[in-house]
Amino acid sequence: MCLGIPGRIVAIVDEAAMLATVDVSGVRRTVDVVCVAAPGHPLAELVGAWVLVHVGFAMSVIDEEEAAATLKVLAEIGEAQAEIEAIRTGSVELPAAAS
């Protein structure tokens, strides 16, 4: 299963390519922030923002309270560790093909 998982933007890696470093429960990955960048504003404004990360993209900006609640629910249903590991390794597990 692929879920979006909350992470905090900690640095801008490449402004021209719209890439930032996101910390997801201690794991740092480079993600594309094109979906959350405000047109005409420097990406540096995103540093410190919480975002929902899915397959290498920051999909939406969320507040810290929503991030904490989402991480809690993911942990409770046993999905948090799998998603964090997918972010750590850069892999996404695809569902088995139907026969």
Side-chain angles (χ1 to χ4, degrees), residues 37-51:
H41 292 267
L43 290 184
E45 290 180 358
L46 289 172
V47 174
W50 284 92
V51 293

Side-chain angles (χ1 to χ4, degrees), residues 42-89:
L43 290 184
E45 290 180 358
L46 289 172
V47 174
W50 284 92
V51 293
L52 194 59
V53 177
H54 179 67
V55 294
F57 287 86
M59 301 303 293
S60 62
V61 175
I62 58 175
D63 62 34
E64 187 171 6
E65 191 174 295
E66 182 179 355
T70 301
L71 287 168
K72 181 180 179 206
V73 168
L74 289 173
E76 287 173 356
I77 64 172
E79 290 293 331
Q81 195 55 42
E83 292 302 316
I84 292 168
E85 189 58 28
I87 287 172
R88 181 186 327 275
T89 63

Side-chain angles (χ1 to χ4, degrees), residues 12 21-24 27 31 35 42 46 55 61 71 80-81 87 89 96 98:
I12 302 305
T21 299
V22 175
D23 184 296
V24 177
V27 176
V31 299
C35 295
L46 289 172
V55 294
V61 175
L71 287 168
Q81 195 55 42
I87 287 172
T89 63

